[in-house]
Structures are given as C-alpha cells and as structure tokens.
C-alpha cells in the first residue's frame, strides 16, 4: 500500500459524499419527513417527530442570535428554524442543488448562501451562533480536529455552537439501508432509483463529543433523545 493511499481513499469518499447529496437533493426531505423508504409506520414515525420537537425546543431556548453561520445547510430543514432566532444567516453547503432548494423554500433576504467545500473552507468571520445538523457524522475522524478548529475560530467569544446529529438507530435510515455496527466509518447509501454511493458516517457517544468540544475550549452540554438524536449546545468563553 502506498503511504498516501488512506488519504486518497478518504478523499475519494468525500467526493462521493458530495456527489451523493447533489444527486439526492430532490428526494432528501423524504428522510426528515419519514416518507417513502423512510416511512417506518405511524408509531415509529411519531417517535421520530416527538424527538425532533425536543431538539427544536432546545435550539429555540438558546434565544436570539444576531449573526448565525450554518454549515452544510442542506435543503433548509434547519435553516427555517434558524431564521426564527437569527437576524442574518450565512448558510454554506457544497451542493448547488440543495442550496437552490433551500433558497426557494425559505425565500428570505436574511439568508446568504455560499457554495463551499467545508474541507477547503477557511473561516473569515466570527458569529454569535455556529450551527450544523447531521454534518459532524460525515467528517472523517482524521479531519475532525482541523474541522473543529475552524468551527472554534468562527464562534465569537461568548458565542455559541449548536450541533445535532444521528444516534445509531436502524430505523432512522431508509428501509433498504443496512446499518451494521461493524466499526467501519464507510457506509453505503442508495437513492430511490437504486444508485449507490459510499459516504462517511461516524456515530458519537455524548462523552466523546463532550471531550472533543471541551478540548477545543468550549463549555459543552451534550444530550441524547431517547432513540434518534444527539445534540450539543456549547459556549466559547475565550480565544
Ligand atoms: C446529511 S445532510 C445535512 C443537511 C442539513 N444540515 C440537514 O440537517 O438537513 C449533509 C449535507 O452536507 C453537504 N455536504 C456534503 N459534503 C460536503 C462538503 N465537503 N462541504 C460542504 N457541504 C457538504 C451535503 O450537500 C448535504 O447538504
């Protein structure tokens, strides 16, 4: 194996990950709203929506933020929550397709979109709140420190970070995705037409996420909902 092979592999998967979300843009929301392959029946769907409500309330409780940075904003499922608590949102994503959906859904003069690959992103401003949902799990472990370092730089002193992500729960994904607890960070994902992609998916335990955030200097509070979500609210106290 050549010395640069693991890096080449990660890079290839990260490009596939972008390609996957670009190709999935029109069907992405089916996951969140539990439609099609993500519909697990009324009882399990209800559980999902109740837990989403808990996380939404936790986000609302952090209060008003003047300037918000949303990383990997996707189709706007959470951007539409952020416009309720923020005056100006900068929303970044690598996919022009999801940005177009987000823009037309929100139609808000308070959201500015930037199409950027977050692994090449260089932060150039500080925000009252930095937010990302279902993104941290797609950051390969070897790039986590570099990513969190940029996140830390983007939060102003006294500002906050809010993260939402997935717990390991087989009913959270499509019924034709196999969620193996095999230790691999590479997972296969399918579109409705059967097209298959490899992506990175890392499931964090609260203590682990808490440790990473604390190491960067955040005061963090990491919580779980009963089945589906892990979420963290953190404050930056000093530079
Ligand atoms: C699981 S989705 C989450 C979207 C949104 N935050 C939500 O909660 O619905 C992951 C998002 O990351 C974006 N993405 C994938 N790779 C990226 C990269 N390298 N840089 C920036 N965004 C990327 C995808 O386009 C997609 O919108």
């Amino acid at each position: 194996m050549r010395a640069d092979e693991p890096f080449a592999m990660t890079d290839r998967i990260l490009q596939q990950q972008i390609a996957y979300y670009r190709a999935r843009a029109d069907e992405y929301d089916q996951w969140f709203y539990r439609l099609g392959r993500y519909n697990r029946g009324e009882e399990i769907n209800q559980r999902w929506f109740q837990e989403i409500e808990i996380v939404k309330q936790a986000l609302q409780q952090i209060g008003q933020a003047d300037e918000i940075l949303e990383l990997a904003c996707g189709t706007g499922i959470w951007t539409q929550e952020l416009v309720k608590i923020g005056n100006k949102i900068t929303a970044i994503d690598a996919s022009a397709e999801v940005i177009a959906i987000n823009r037309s859904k929100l139609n808000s003069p308070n959201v500015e979109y930037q199409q950027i690959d977050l692994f090449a992103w260089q932060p150039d401003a500080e925000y009252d709140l930095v937010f990302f949902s279902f993104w941290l799990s797609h950051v390969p472990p070897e790039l986590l420190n570099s990513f969190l370092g940029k996140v830390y730089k983007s939060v102003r002193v006294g500002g906050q970070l809010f993260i939402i992500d997935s717990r390991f729960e087989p009913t959270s994904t499509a019924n034709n995705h196999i969620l193996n607890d095999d230790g691999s960070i590479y997972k296969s994902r399918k579109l409705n037409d059967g097209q298959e992609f490899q992506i990175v998916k890392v499931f964090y335990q609260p203590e682990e996420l808490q440790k990473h955030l604390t190491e960067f200097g955040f005061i963090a509070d990491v919580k779980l909902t009963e089945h589906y979500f892990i979420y963290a609210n953190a404050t930056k106290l000093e530079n």
Side-chain angles (χ1 to χ4, degrees):
M1 191 197 286
R2 286 187 6 226
D4 62 352
E5 245 173 49
F7 301 105
M9 159 101 167
T10 301
D11 195 49
R12 216 169 42 242
I13 302 246
L14 292 180
Q15 291 313 313
Q16 255 195 71
Q17 186 157 270
I18 294 175
Y20 168 62
Y21 283 106
R22 292 187 61 190
R24 189 184 158 199
D26 283 332
E27 56 192 73
Y28 180 82
D29 287 8
Q30 294 177 0
W31 159 74
F32 190 77
Y33 297 109
R34 309 276 88 189
L35 302 169
R37 293 179 293 138
Y38 303 90
N39 181 352
R40 299 292 186 147
E42 205 172 321
E43 195 184 330
I44 295 181
N45 292 348
Q46 270 315 102
R47 217 183 260 172
W48 169 277
F49 290 121
Q50 280 162 6
E51 293 185 24
I52 287 284
E53 218 30 62
I54 293 170
V55 181
K56 272 189 191 169
Q57 278 174 20
L59 176 62
Q60 274 161 18
Q61 270 164 18
I62 72 176
Q64 283 299 120
D66 190 26
E67 302 223 6
I68 301 180
L69 174 65
E70 184 183 15
L71 302 175
C73 61
T75 58
I77 291 166
W78 291 91
T79 320
Q80 65 199 5
E81 300 304 316
L82 296 176
V83 291
K84 296 178 191 164
I85 60 167
N87 292 330
K88 184 172 176 259
I89 324 289
T90 302
I92 295 181
D93 200 286
S95 158
E97 290 80 358
V98 304
I99 288 177
I101 293 170
N102 190 320
R103 193 193 298 277
S104 71
K105 220 191 253 179
L106 267 82
N107 191 23
S108 168
N110 299 338
V111 186
E112 184 205 304
Y113 296 93
Q114 296 179 7
Q115 188 189 345
I116 296 175
D117 179 340
L118 284 171
F119 297 112
W121 166 61
Q122 290 303 334
D124 58 359
E126 291 184 343
Y127 297 83
D128 303 296
L129 170 65
V130 175
F131 173 97
F132 39 94
S133 49
F134 307 97
W135 166 248
L136 193 68
S137 52
H138 295 310
V139 176
E142 66 266 39
L143 297 178
L144 183 69
N145 274 352
S146 143
F147 174 68
L148 285 180
K150 292 181 199 177
V151 168
Y152 191 73
K153 216 172 150 191
S154 305
V155 180
R156 71 159 172 80
V157 173
Q160 301 196 66
L161 169 67
F162 200 96
I163 304 172
I164 309 170
D165 223 303
S166 323
R167 290 187 67 180
F168 184 87
E169 163 53 56
T171 62
S172 69
T173 189
N175 57 21
N176 63 344
H177 291 159
I178 300 155
L179 196 55
N180 281 333
D181 195 4
D182 58 5
S184 170
I185 61 160
Y186 301 122
K187 303 282 176 208
S188 167
R189 289 286 185 273
K190 288 182 184 153
L191 298 180
N192 285 342
D193 68 5
Q195 215 185 139
E196 204 164 335
F197 298 80
Q198 298 298 308
I199 63 155
V200 171
K201 189 78 184 172
V202 180
F203 294 96
Y204 286 96
Q205 295 299 327
E207 316 75 55
E208 224 184 327
L209 184 53
Q210 176 95 36
K211 182 170 166 278
H212 287 304
L213 296 174
T214 307
E215 275 168 7
F216 270 95
F218 285 109
I219 304 296
D221 183 18
V222 184
K223 292 195 170 118
L224 297 174
T225 63
E226 199 178 344
H227 304 92
Y228 290 114
F229 308 113
I230 177 167
Y231 60 105
N233 184 13
T235 306
K236 171 171 167 174
L237 292 185
E238 57 193 35
N239 263 323

